[in-house]
């Protein structure tokens, strides 16, 4: 336990408000309050930003889906090109064999 008689804001040394250190509990009158320094405007901006969050999330999601679709299309084109290349190589080999057979006869 705390034996020195000092406390913190969360755990004062005593529960009696008259005996507490006044620096530990600043009153509301001690704090300067700005005279409506754009509080409504900030609140409206925050509300507007909160309303735009789903739109921004949707835009980001669509952006990601488009990027993913483009990547998949590129992979599909590459696979098709490789398949066609293998087919062309087989056809070329068949033609060379046929030519060699024709020359040998």
């Amino acid at each position: 336990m705390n034996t020195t008689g000092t406390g913190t804001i969360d755990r004062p040394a005593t529960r009696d408000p008259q005996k507490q250190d006044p620096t530990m509990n600043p009153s509301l009158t001690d704090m300067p309050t700005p005279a409506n320094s754009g509080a409504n405007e900030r609140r409206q901006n925050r509300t507007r930003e909160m309303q735009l969050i789903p739109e921004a999330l949707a835009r980001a999601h669509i952006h990601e889906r488009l990027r993913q679709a483009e990547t998949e299309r590129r992979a599909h084109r590459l696979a098709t090109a490789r398949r066609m290349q293998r087919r062309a190589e087989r056809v070329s080999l068949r033609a060379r064999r046929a030519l060699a057979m024709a020359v040998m006869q």
Side-chain angles (χ1 to χ4, degrees):
M1 260 311 180
N2 205 350
T3 59
T4 59
T6 61
T8 64
I9 292 175
D10 293 333
R11 295 180 183 271
T14 177
R15 297 207 181 271
D16 185 9
Q18 298 294 325
K19 295 180 182 176
Q20 287 181 4
D21 185 7
T23 59
M24 289 293 182
N25 291 324
S27 65
L28 293 177
T29 56
D30 294 341
M31 295 181 209
T33 56
N36 199 6
S37 62
N40 285 339
E41 186 177 334
R42 280 196 304 270
R43 202 171 299 119
Q44 286 176 350
N45 285 341
R46 187 168 51 239
T47 302
R48 191 173 304 121
E49 288 172 12
M50 292 294 284
Q51 289 172 348
L52 294 177
I53 285 175
E55 184 178 328
L57 285 174
R59 191 176 297 117
H61 183 69
I62 289 172
H63 218 19
E64 178 62 24
R65 294 281 305 268
L66 285 172
R67 189 190 65 74
Q68 185 179 10
E70 179 60 33
T71 302
E72 288 176 8
R73 275 194 297 270
R74 220 176 303 146
H76 183 70
R77 283 195 302 260
L78 180 62
T80 303
R82 285 184 176 158
R83 194 167 41 247
M84 290 174 71
Q85 183 180 6
R86 284 193 301 268
R87 184 182 299 166
E89 288 172 356
R90 282 194 306 267
V91 168
S92 173
L93 188 59
R94 231 178 279 137
R96 287 173 63 193
R97 280 191 196 136
L99 182 63
M101 294 291 247
V103 168
M104 291 195 137
Q105 289 180 354

